[in-house]
Every structure is written in C-alpha cells, then in structure tokens.
Amino acid sequence: MGDAGYILAGPIGREVLAFGTIVFAVFATGGQLLAGQIALGVLSSNKLCLMLYTGIFAIPTLLFAMPRTLDRLSWLSVVSVVCIVVASVVGMIGAGLSPSDGWQDRYSVAAEADFVTAFISITNPVFAYAGHFMFFILISEMRRPNDAMKAAYTLQISATTFYCLFAAITYIYLGPDVASPSFTSLPLKWSKAAYAIAIPNFLMAGSLYSHTAAKLLFIRFFRRSRHLHEHTVIGWGVWVFLIVMMNAAAFVLAIGVPIFNYLIGIAASLFASWYTYGIAGAFWLYDSWVDKGRFEAWKRMWFMCGVSWLTLVAGAFICVAGMYVTVKQIVDIYASGEVSEPFSCS
C-alpha cells in the first residue's frame, strides 16, 4: 500500500499509507486476540482471568506469523476459511433451532434510529472489508500476479454472499439485540460448538495481520539487501524481532487499554474507510488519467469516472462520520462509568 501511495502522492503518500497499514494491522491483530479471548472464555465458561485467555491465544498467533513468505501460510489459510464457514453454518443452524423468544415479531426491514446508532450499523460491514490493504502483499508473492483479479472476484463474490446470508439469518432468529460476535447470542451449547470450530480462523487472521505489519517494515529495511531473500542471521533476527514486536504491541493494547474496541473503531475510520473505498476510486482515476488520456479518458468512461469520484466521497464521509461516532461512544462510556481498569480480568 505504501508503494501505491508513492505513485499517487510521492514520498508523503508512501509514508502515510504505509504508516496507516502498519497501525491498522496491529490494531486488527489485537481485535483477533480479543476474539480468541471471547472464544476461549465461552469454551471454558470463563473460569480464568480474561487477560490469561488473551495471553494464551497470543502465543500461537505469534508462532503462525513466523514464516517469512505467505506460501507457508497458504494451506493454513485454507483450513482457516473452511473453519469459519463451518462455524457460521453451525451458528445459523443453532439460531434457527433455538431462536429468541418472539423472534417472528422482533425483526424489521427498516427501523428508526439516531445518527450514531444508524452509522454504526453502516460502518460494521464497511470495516468487514478492511483487509483489502493486504492485497498488495498477497499479489507481490503470487506465482502468477495476473491471476490476482480472478482471486479478488472470487473472494468478493463469495464473501459478500456469505456475509449477507449469515447476517440475515442470525438477525431474523436472534433478534435486533444480537451480540458481537453473534456466536455469543446463541444458546451455550451452540455457542461453544461455533467458537470451537472458528478458533483456527481467529488465529490465522491475527497471524496474517501481524505478518503484514512486520513484512512492510522488513521490506523497507532490506529492500536492496540479500537479507530480504536469503536465510541470513541478520535477516532472521530482524524478522523474529519485528514479529514479536507487532504481536506484543497488539497484546498490550488489547489487554491494557479498556477502550481498545473503540480505538479499533478510530483506526478503522481513519484508515479502513480509505483502504475499503476512497483509495480504490483514486487508483482508477489515476490510472485512467495517466494511461488512457487524461480528461478525455474520464469523459469517455464517464460511468466509471462517476463511480470512482463517488467512492472517494464515500471514503471521506465514512472517515469523518466514523471518527465522530466513535469519539462520541468513548465520551458516553466514560460518562456512564462503565470503563474497566487497565489489565483487569473483567
């Protein structure tokens, strides 16, 4: 993403997008550690301190991030996808067999809500696609980079279809008060089954995020050095140090900052809004301007030009509104006195 930023806006664009990628990847790793914490807590009926669950989950997350190339993680990623699909199917079956009381009358196609509540509902699916910033890392290691678009179409079509199906079914049967993650709203036996199957996905997602953050710095350090491609003591020493540092930062943030979930919201608003929407529009506008004839290209391909500008505007709006909503939530939760102590077990 940093190299794309350099093409768009020179050195400043490179540093801003690279910094945003690293920050968001670390926060996303912390988010996966919290997901693992919740899963282990449900499976063990919360018999241990929640901070210990996070620590337990952080160890395999760090180890799975250690391989220096993504081909070592590809087969584990296949297992991860299969696990989350099966876990989601189990969750949908559990929701259908054990719906909430009065579920027939509790769901609606549209409902009145204030701006903050409504916008949170909008940003959740937006941020679900925030992994787009990893495309550049993935493409750079593909044997046939020309196949990247096929992979992207396959991912987007299948993921979007499954997201919509899962969200609709769980909302209908569990009601508007469904928790996040929604597995938590299932009856205990179904919740435990779903979380047990989903754990490999949480592990791999966290590992890939921390791997991405470390790799951006690793490539920056050794771009023109043999340490980038060869198995040297310096290369491996720096790589292990970066992986440990990224996972350690995510772990400390996850357990040490009581409002970490809201900080993820701020990071997502600042960066994911652009990685998911805004930057995509900028890419198309730049490519068509440089490679296809400047204004003439924009006029000739007016529909894509309009979509790209709308995408840019959408990214900017989500960034600003997402920041406002998240900060307001932080203010409200501190005013209510619901913030726990740092490094607490609750």
Short mmCIF file of all heavy atoms in Angstrom, two decimals, residues 9 22 105-106 158 210 264:
data_model
loop_
_atom_site.label_atom_id
_atom_site.label_comp_id
_atom_site.label_asym_id
_atom_site.label_seq_id
_atom_site.Cartn_x
_atom_site.Cartn_y
_atom_site.Cartn_z
N ALA A 9 0.96 10.03 -4.61
CA ALA A 9 1.27 11.31 -3.96
C ALA A 9 2.72 11.45 -3.55
O ALA A 9 3.03 12.27 -2.66
CB ALA A 9 0.37 11.48 -2.74
N ILE A 22 0.44 -0.27 8.82
CA ILE A 22 1.06 -0.91 9.99
C ILE A 22 0.20 -0.71 11.23
O ILE A 22 -0.06 -1.66 11.98
CB ILE A 22 2.48 -0.35 10.21
CG1 ILE A 22 3.39 -0.76 9.06
CG2 ILE A 22 3.05 -0.83 11.54
CD1 ILE A 22 4.74 -0.06 9.05
N ASP A 105 -41.78 -11.46 15.59
CA ASP A 105 -42.24 -10.06 15.64
C ASP A 105 -41.12 -9.07 15.95
O ASP A 105 -41.38 -7.87 16.07
CB ASP A 105 -43.33 -9.92 16.72
CG ASP A 105 -44.50 -10.86 16.46
OD1 ASP A 105 -44.90 -10.99 15.29
OD2 ASP A 105 -45.00 -11.45 17.44
N ARG A 106 -39.88 -9.54 16.06
CA ARG A 106 -38.82 -8.66 16.54
C ARG A 106 -37.95 -8.10 15.42
O ARG A 106 -37.16 -7.20 15.66
CB ARG A 106 -37.94 -9.39 17.54
CG ARG A 106 -38.67 -9.81 18.81
CD ARG A 106 -37.71 -10.43 19.80
NE ARG A 106 -36.72 -9.45 20.26
CZ ARG A 106 -35.59 -9.79 20.88
NH1 ARG A 106 -35.31 -11.07 21.08
NH2 ARG A 106 -34.75 -8.85 21.29
N SER A 158 -17.96 -14.45 -3.18
CA SER A 158 -18.28 -15.49 -2.19
C SER A 158 -18.43 -14.89 -0.80
O SER A 158 -19.37 -15.23 -0.07
CB SER A 158 -17.21 -16.58 -2.20
OG SER A 158 -15.93 -16.03 -1.90
N SER A 210 -0.47 -9.48 11.70
CA SER A 210 0.84 -9.15 12.28
C SER A 210 1.96 -9.45 11.30
O SER A 210 2.97 -8.72 11.24
CB SER A 210 1.05 -9.92 13.59
OG SER A 210 1.00 -11.32 13.39
N ILE A 264 -10.02 0.63 17.98
CA ILE A 264 -10.09 -0.06 16.68
C ILE A 264 -11.03 0.69 15.75
O ILE A 264 -10.76 0.85 14.56
CB ILE A 264 -10.56 -1.52 16.87
CG1 ILE A 264 -9.52 -2.34 17.64
CG2 ILE A 264 -10.84 -2.17 15.50
CD1 ILE A 264 -9.95 -3.75 17.93
#
